[in-house]
Amino acid sequence: MIVALIDSGLGMLPTAAWLRRLRPDLDLLLQADPDGAPWGPKPTEWVIDRVLDTARQALRLGAEVIVLPCNTASVTALEHVRAEVGPQVPVIGTVPAIKPAAAVCSTVAVWATAATTASSYQADLIARFGGDADVTGVACHGLADAIDRGDLDAVEAAIAAAVAQTPPGTEGVVLGCTHYPLVVDAIVAALPPAVRLFDSAEAVAAQTLRRIDALGRPAGGSGTVTVVNSGRPGELPASAAAYESGRLLGRVVAREG
């Protein structure tokens, strides 16, 4: 069984790493879009068309399950992809971990791209799952793009700007973009020591496996990982391989175990 993961860039890696850790036999198809990245600032219809085209390619390449480990793609295109591929192909989106954060923290900041922060989708999630917590959206301008480029100076500058927008006394920060866990060490270093971080990669991977099990078909494979960049065979960006262990890609590899 081939599981396709669709994102503009490296944000798919945390979810892919959890799938590898939980089910190393699965064959993964990583579909990145360096030609169109970043998706966050793009018009909604552009993102929908881009994600739909990638989903169609996933089916042509044999995918039986599609995962959108990208908050922007999930906010704008999830229901469109589900309508396109039909009920026989599970499509799993990504939801910021607002509910678990609000359950244990009285003040929460949701770090996300500008598009996700401004979306009615995130506002609805906060209204539904924020409970009694005071939840604030923080737009992290340029952070996902800097991660994709491997520009660590720009990463640190974007994190510093996000920290400055985060209300004093915030108890929990939700990483509302799947790129952000890749720089979790830098985020931890920039935030006050008592702040708790929440991300959704493990939960998305677990939900993917539940949907696979519900298909009732043999799911085992050879553990192959195939990378497709903007519709063509490719590799992950060269900068990814150079990141320090515990900072970006090295952290994901370590989590694969």
Side-chain angles (χ1 to χ4, degrees):
M1 177 174 293
I2 297 175
V3 178
L5 293 90
I6 298 173
D7 191 5
S8 62
L10 299 180
M12 69 180 74
L13 293 180
T15 301
W18 275 107
L19 286 172
R20 294 285 284 172
R21 180 176 181 176
L22 297 171
R23 285 292 302 274
D25 58 319
L26 286 178
D27 293 327
L28 302 182
L29 172 64
L30 307 185
Q31 294 175 279
D33 185 23
D35 291 351
W39 286 347
K42 300 294 195 303
T44 296
E45 290 303 318
W46 187 97
V47 175
I48 291 172
D49 289 344
R50 200 78 169 185
V51 175
L52 283 175
D53 284 346
T54 308
R56 295 181 189 116
Q57 182 192 51
L59 297 182
R60 292 195 298 269
L61 294 174
E64 298 179 67
V65 178
I66 295 175
V67 185
L68 302 183
C70 170
N71 291 88
T72 296
S74 296
V75 164
T76 57
L78 177 62
E79 295 308 320
H80 296 272
V81 174
R82 286 175 171 163
E84 173 77 17
V85 305
Q88 70 276 10
V89 178
V91 181
I92 297 89
T94 298
V95 177
I98 295 169
K99 184 175 182 179
V104 296
C105 299
S106 61
T107 51
V108 176
V110 183
W111 287 17
T113 64
T116 300
T117 302
S119 68
S120 58
Y121 177 83
Q122 179 167 296
D124 179 63
L125 289 175
I126 291 173
R128 290 169 58 195
F129 301 121
D132 295 328
D134 183 5
V135 183
T136 302
V138 173
C140 302
H141 297 282
L143 180 52
D145 188 30
I147 293 169
D148 275 336
R149 298 196 314 269
D151 187 341
L152 297 184
D153 290 337
V155 164
E156 292 183 0
I159 290 172
V163 171
Q165 296 180 69
T166 301
T170 294
E171 296 177 6
V173 169
V174 175
L175 303 181
C177 172
T178 54
H179 284 65
Y180 301 169
L182 294 168
V183 290
V184 67
D185 290 347
I187 293 172
V188 168
L191 286 168
V195 176
R196 300 178 62 177
L197 296 184
F198 300 83
D199 81 86
S200 56
E202 183 179 7
V204 173
Q207 174 64 3
T208 300
L209 297 181
R210 284 192 289 269
R211 295 295 301 278
I212 289 172
D213 291 341
L215 292 174
R217 301 198 299 270
S222 59
T224 300
V225 177
T226 303
V227 178
V228 174
N229 284 334
S230 297
R232 60 184 183 274
E235 300 176 349
L236 291 174
S239 58
Y243 293 157
E244 298 175 7
S245 177
R247 292 293 301 269
L248 298 177
L249 184 57
R251 169 168 288 274
V252 175
V253 171
R255 288 173 67 180
E256 287 185 19

